[in-house]
Amino acid sequence: TGVAMMKFKSPPVNSLSLEFLTEFSISLEKLENNRACRGVIITSAVPKIFSSGLDITEMCGKSMEHYTEFWRAVQEMWLRLYGSNMVTVAAVNGSSPAGGCLVALSCDYRIMAENPKFSIGLNEAQLGIVAPFWFKDTFVNVVGHRIAERSLQLGSLHPAPEAHKLGLVDELVPEEKLMEKAAAVMAQWLALPDHARQLTKTMMRKVVLDRLVAHREEDIKNFITFISKESIQKSLRMYMEMLKKRK
């Protein structure tokens, strides 16, 4: 059919670890280089969670070299996904905070399971972290400046119905119909000539992509400076402790 299906399967919560991000980017590159592949549906094989976002353990108590490698992998994943020539559809079948939300935002179309227990958003502020400019740019391009500003400052996680109302997701469907709907949307997008759609996508996204490419090293330095602060390390450690207690 020319459509690939990519499923996240890194229990318990599909955290975006260095290993996961690397594999994700390599998989995208392989699909991109495969002439027969025109689109990819991204979903989760783990119940109730799409992706919990960046793996906190990769950002806590590690070396400068590790932080550099990790952040470069995060950038690489976004550059590949946001700039992909393929049609990308996110079938969000569970909660999707922070980096998980970024993955969904980077796709061309987002369909979410109609479950008020599932939420999505860039909630970095809740952890005392600041979403980088390119997370912010991607968010603004989807929901507009005012909604993005409020949501980012409050670190909001939006339940599925609210996410749909804000335009953060394009459609809500019952969980059991999610994949069927994703396939139907994909068919609709693939009915168009690839070159026209690809050139339009590039035109719409180029400014945001170019901004990170031009400031990539500076963005890595900013991340390392920020994440290395004792106050930030302390709040990450507290957050990890809280997660352990929840388990």
Side-chain angles (χ1 to χ4, degrees):
T1 60
V3 179
M5 169 85 73
M6 198 189 284
K7 287 186 176 180
F8 294 158
K9 193 176 184 184
S10 182
V13 289
N14 292 336
S15 295
L16 304 176
S17 63
L18 179 56
E19 188 185 4
F20 186 105
L21 288 161
T22 306
E23 197 174 321
F24 188 15
S25 290
I26 290 168
S27 301
L28 281 172
E29 187 180 14
K30 280 181 185 163
L31 293 175
E32 203 78 55
N33 292 336
N34 180 349
R35 283 276 170 86
C37 184
R38 297 173 64 210
V40 57
I41 295 169
I42 296 174
T43 193
S44 166
V46 176
K48 297 181 187 162
I49 190 92
F50 180 69
S51 166
S52 67
L54 302 183
D55 189 338
I56 304 278
T57 61
E58 300 280 12
M59 300 186 271
C60 204
K62 298 280 198 294
S63 68
M64 298 296 173
E65 291 74 22
H66 185 87
Y67 295 147
T68 303
E69 193 184 358
F70 176 63
W71 199 246
R72 200 179 290 282
V74 180
Q75 292 176 334
E76 189 62 34
M77 176 277 290
W78 178 77
L79 289 167
R80 285 200 177 281
L81 185 57
Y82 199 62
S84 175
N85 271 325
M86 298 179 288
V87 174
T88 52
V89 174
V92 183
N93 54 344
S95 287
S96 195
C101 178
L102 181 74
V103 171
L105 286 170
S106 303
C107 292
D108 296 312
Y109 201 83
R110 284 158 292 287
I111 309 162
M112 191 165 182
E114 201 172 5
N115 185 334
K117 287 183 180 164
F118 297 162
S119 59
I120 184 168
L122 294 177
N123 62 322
E124 281 79 353
Q126 284 191 31
L127 316 183
I129 308 174
V130 179
F133 72 85
W134 42 285
F135 282 51
K136 180 267 299 175
D137 288 346
T138 312
F139 198 28
V140 168
N141 284 354
V142 171
V143 299
H145 198 279
R146 176 65 193 125
I147 291 169
E149 182 180 31
R150 190 181 62 205
S151 188
L152 283 168
Q153 284 200 48
L154 294 172
S156 307
L157 281 175
H158 307 283
E162 189 185 309
H164 182 235
K165 202 169 82 183
L166 296 175
L168 180 49
V169 295
D170 297 299
E171 241 175 299
L172 291 184
V173 294
E175 227 163 320
E176 66 278 5
K177 297 239 169 93
L178 193 64
M179 299 327 291
E180 188 188 320
K181 186 68 200 183
V185 167
M186 181 62 80
Q188 188 189 350
W189 282 62
L190 290 181
L192 291 145
D194 282 341
H195 67 279
R197 183 194 54 72
Q198 286 166 355
L199 287 169
T200 306
K201 181 173 180 174
T202 302
M203 177 173 67
M204 297 297 291
R205 298 189 172 194
K206 190 177 188 313
V207 173
V208 177
L209 287 159
D210 285 355
R211 201 171 151 208
L212 177 60
V213 172
H215 299 282
R216 207 166 168 182
E217 297 310 314
E218 189 188 329
D219 182 59
I220 291 172
K221 276 195 194 118
N222 287 344
F223 170 74
I224 293 169
T225 306
F226 185 75
I227 214 75
S228 305
K229 283 182 185 160
E230 187 42 47
S231 59
I232 302 301
Q233 286 291 310
K234 190 179 168 186
S235 67
L236 289 176
R237 284 195 297 271
M238 279 164 63
Y239 184 68
M240 278 160 68
E241 281 305 313
M242 188 188 80
L243 289 178
K244 273 181 199 156
K245 279 177 191 153
R246 260 197 220 163
K247 280 175 194 170

